[in-house]
């Protein structure tokens, strides 16, 4: 906990994307996440904050129980991108799926009351946020990131565990699955016993749930509207076919597919490929 308190004061956070950087007396010259073509620097320019300043500004985290053993966590008012994280409870320890920027004592107490955190798994760099501080606050737990995204780490602390290959079984029935797409290391969580043993996917926005909750999409950049090549869609679709699941949770509140998710993912990716290849000028 003392390490987490130190990071409150010594680490700069990008206000646009929520990424926390390694301790330094002055903020970084730029945020490499925001200057990348997949994200953006706000019109008003690059701005920085610290965790202690966020606490003084009155932010708080909210919680939603989505189903047995799965809780969503997000910050209000919205901080940075505004994604949610998930606390996934299992008999042999809890996994934090993705991460959010704001962390306060109430959140630490609530999560400890639910069994704490055994590890953190992050889908892609846009959701790295303050993972070093979360790890420190819960006993220096490992933070799993795919090695193909190693170059994007803003704070390569000692608890980061880079993994490689197409999947990584963590414990019980939790597996990290590499999809790529949005980022080279983009990954999802497969929880086999979720949704009454029909299977759950926690996708971040590697698979982005549509506003109608009847489709998903994949993009190189969502805010800048850059698509992904059809070959990536086919590859991602082939990987998803190997998994058993019925429910899918996206990276933001109210974006989830309660049932029939596997067919929806299959149909959405097929439609994506068809429209990318469509050459009718009147379509």
């Amino acid at each position: 906990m003392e390490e987490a308190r130190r990071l409150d004061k010594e680490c700069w956070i990008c206000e646009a994307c929520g990424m926390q950087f390694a301790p330094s007396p002055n903020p970084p010259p730029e945020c490499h996440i925001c200057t990348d073509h997949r994200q953006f620097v706000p019109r008003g320019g690059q701005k920085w904050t610290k965790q202690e300043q966020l606490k003084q500004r009155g932010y708080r985290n909210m919680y939603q129980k989505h189903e047995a053993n799965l809780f969503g966590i997000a910050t209000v008012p919205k901080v940075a991108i505004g994604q949610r994280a998930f606390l996934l409870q299992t008999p042999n320890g809890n996994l934090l799926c993705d991460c959010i920027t704001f962390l306060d004592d109430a959140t630490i107490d609530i999560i400890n009351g639910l069994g704490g955190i055994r590890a953190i798994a992050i889908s892609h760099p846009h959701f790295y946020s303050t993972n070093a501080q979360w790890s420190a606050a819960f006993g220096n737990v490992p933070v799993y990131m795919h090695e193909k995204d190693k170059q994007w780490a803003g704070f390569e602390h000692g608890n980061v565990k880079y993994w490689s290959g197409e999947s990584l079984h963590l414990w019980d029935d939790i597996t990290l699955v590499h999809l790529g797409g949005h980022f080279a290391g983009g990954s999802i969580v497969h929880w086999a016993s979720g949704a009454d043993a029909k299977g759950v996917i926690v996708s971040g926005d590697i698979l982005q749930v549509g506003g109608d909750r009847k489709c998903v999409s994949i993009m190189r950049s969502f805010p800048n509207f850059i698509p992904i090549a059809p070959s990536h869609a086919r590859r991602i679709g082939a990987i998803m076919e190997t998994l058993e699941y019925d429910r899918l949770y996206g990276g933001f509140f109210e974006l989830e597919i309660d049932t029939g998710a596997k067919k929806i993912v299959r149909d959405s990716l097929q439609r994506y490929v068809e429209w990318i290849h469509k050459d009718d000028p009147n379509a």
Side-chain angles (χ1 to χ4, degrees), residues 11-15 18-20 47-51 101 130:
C11 291
W12 295 94
I13 296 171
C14 170
E15 291 216 24
M19 168 83 87
Q20 185 179 54
K47 295 180 181 179
W48 301 94
T49 189
K50 292 182 178 181
Q51 192 74 260
T101 298
T130 60

Side-chain angles (χ1 to χ4, degrees), residues 169-209:
H169 177 255
L170 293 182
W171 62 83
D172 294 336
D173 60 351
I174 301 176
T175 302
L176 308 184
V177 180
H178 173 238
L179 292 185
H182 188 38
F183 273 81
S187 306
I188 60 174
V189 174
H190 180 234
W191 175 34
S193 64
D196 297 321
K198 295 177 182 177
V200 159
I201 297 293
V202 179
S203 69
D205 62 3
I206 303 304
L207 292 168
Q208 178 76 286
V209 178

Side-chain angles (χ1 to χ4, degrees), residues 12-84:
W12 295 94
I13 296 171
C14 170
E15 291 216 24
C17 73
M19 168 83 87
Q20 185 179 54
F21 286 76
S24 65
N26 299 307
E30 65 178 21
C31 173
H32 63 291
I33 294 293
C34 291
T35 56
D36 176 65
H37 66 272
R38 280 163 287 203
Q39 194 54 28
F40 60 93
V41 176
R43 190 169 185 175
Q46 183 73 67
K47 295 180 181 179
W48 301 94
T49 189
K50 292 182 178 181
Q51 192 74 260
E52 63 176 1
Q53 294 170 358
L54 292 177
K55 292 177 179 179
Q56 293 167 2
R57 285 155 60 179
Y59 291 100
R60 65 191 185 279
N61 286 333
M62 59 175 288
Y63 312 87
Q64 181 177 353
K65 186 172 184 177
H66 295 287
E67 59 179 271
N69 302 315
L70 188 68
F71 297 83
I73 309 168
T75 304
V76 290
K78 185 181 82 169
V79 170
I81 295 172
Q83 76 272 15
R84 60 178 167 181

Side-chain angles (χ1 to χ4, degrees), residues 107-135:
T107 298
I108 294 169
D109 289 347
I110 289 168
I111 290 178
N112 279 331
L114 292 169
I117 294 173
R118 176 174 170 177
I120 301 170
I122 302 187
S123 61
H124 70 295
H126 287 160
F127 292 176
Y128 281 179
S129 58
T130 60
N131 69 81
Q133 195 156 19
W134 281 76
S135 172

